Amino acid sequence: QQPVQSPQAVILREGEDAVINCSSSKALYSVHWYRQKHGEAPVFLMILLKGGEQKGHDKISASFNEKKQQSSLYLTASQLSYSGTYFCGPYYGGSQGNLIFGKGTKLSVKP
Amino acid sequence: DSGVTQTPKHLITATGQRVTLRCSPRSGDLSVYWYQQSLDQGLQFLIQYYNGEERAKGNILERFSAQQFPDLHSELNLSSLELGDSALYFCASSVDGGGGELFFGEGSRLTVL
């Protein structure tokens, strides 16, 4: 049950904002967000647990709406270092302990 | 440095051959995940182990197999290799496999000629 991410790609100028969405067809226990820079391994950004919790990581924050089975990643005042591919990974809990990532959103921040 | 070690970093082989990729998780992590990433593709989940036992299986081909050993390192065996198996194979580990943060290794890049 691969989650659906949108948009597939986005190009920003430095200082602009962006939102990346992640939708699941199944009830979620939590959502992971990772960023992968070109030629590197994915790196953990944050986990959001049930309860509509919102978290932040520098100027990157995220929300989790368990009723809608959706999570959104907000990138504020983007920096060149934000460029990369962002993956969401829903965790369904229990015996389905694996993380199946979305296809990713490629973010390019230009000067 | 995530603390997850993958070897080899690069591997070039021919179709029909068999290779083994190795992963050492972070100290204390009990769960190991394997992912395949083809060119400009997402992370395809292959299989997860927890403390030596298979926990979950994804789109892993029958030609592929994996195991986690008592010392918690894991190996992914790929046999009867095809050109389409060329990809970056990532191993990740987590403390308990219960939805916690994943730490990814740098990957093993497999090229099948």
Side-chain angles (χ1 to χ4, degrees):
Chain A
Q1 299 85 4
Q2 186 176 41
V4 177
Q5 281 188 237
S6 63
Q8 291 184 345
V10 59
I11 299 174
L12 299 175
R13 292 286 180 190
E14 263 187 303
E16 292 182 337
D17 302 339
V19 180
I20 299 172
N21 299 303
C22 175
S23 296
S24 172
S25 58
K26 288 179 58 174
L28 306 175
Y29 182 82
S30 65
V31 177
H32 291 220
W33 285 96
Y34 292 77
R35 176 173 62 203
Q36 183 180 28
K37 291 181 179 285
H38 184 69
E40 298 180 7
V43 174
F44 172 80
L45 290 176
M46 63 190 79
I47 293 176
L48 293 103
L49 304 176
K50 286 167 74 171
E53 179 180 1
Q54 186 153 349
K55 279 195 170 184
H57 174 80
D58 193 11
K59 290 184 180 176
I60 301 175
S61 62
S63 63
F64 176 28
N65 187 323
E66 62 195 82
K67 281 187 179 178
K68 292 186 176 180
Q69 296 163 188
Q70 293 177 345
S71 178
S72 295
L73 189 72
Y74 306 94
L75 298 103
T76 306
S78 59
Q79 306 167 19
L80 295 177
S81 62
Y82 286 3
S83 291
T85 301
Y86 291 77
F87 294 98
C88 73
Y91 175 68
Y92 300 106
S95 60
Q96 300 177 70
N98 53 293
L99 281 182
I100 296 180
F101 290 95
K103 291 187 177 181
T105 296
K106 188 171 184 178
L107 177 74
S108 301
V109 181
K110 309 290 186 184
Chain B
D1 183 4
S2 67
V4 178
T5 303
Q6 288 189 248
T7 57
K9 286 187 168 41
H10 300 275
L11 190 57
I12 301 174
T13 188
T15 54
Q17 295 298 304
R18 172 189 170 95
V19 299
T20 297
L21 309 180
R22 182 188 168 100
C23 170
S24 294
R26 286 189 329 151
S27 177
D29 283 0
L30 297 178
S31 195
V32 168
Y33 303 72
W34 286 98
Y35 290 89
Q36 179 192 56
Q37 187 173 45
S38 302
L39 191 63
D40 290 332
Q41 295 296 308
L43 294 159
Q44 298 295 317
F45 170 71
L46 295 178
I47 198 164
Q48 179 200 358
Y49 283 86
Y50 174 75
N51 203 21
E53 300 288 328
E54 182 182 302
R55 169 70 70 94
K57 199 177 247 189
N59 298 324
I60 187 167
L61 299 172
E62 284 191 11
R63 300 183 285 109
F64 296 0
S65 65
Q67 57 182 324
Q68 186 180 27
F69 294 87
D71 67 352
L72 300 177
H73 91 271
S74 178
E75 293 181 357
L76 178 67
N77 300 297
L78 316 174
S79 61
S80 302
L81 286 168
E82 302 175 358
L83 296 178
D85 297 328
S86 295
L88 190 53
Y89 291 84
F90 283 108
C91 166
S93 73
S94 68
V95 170
D96 58 9
E101 175 183 353
L102 296 191
F103 296 87
F104 283 82
E106 293 186 354
S108 292
R109 182 169 295 283
L110 172 67
T111 302
V112 182
L113 300 176

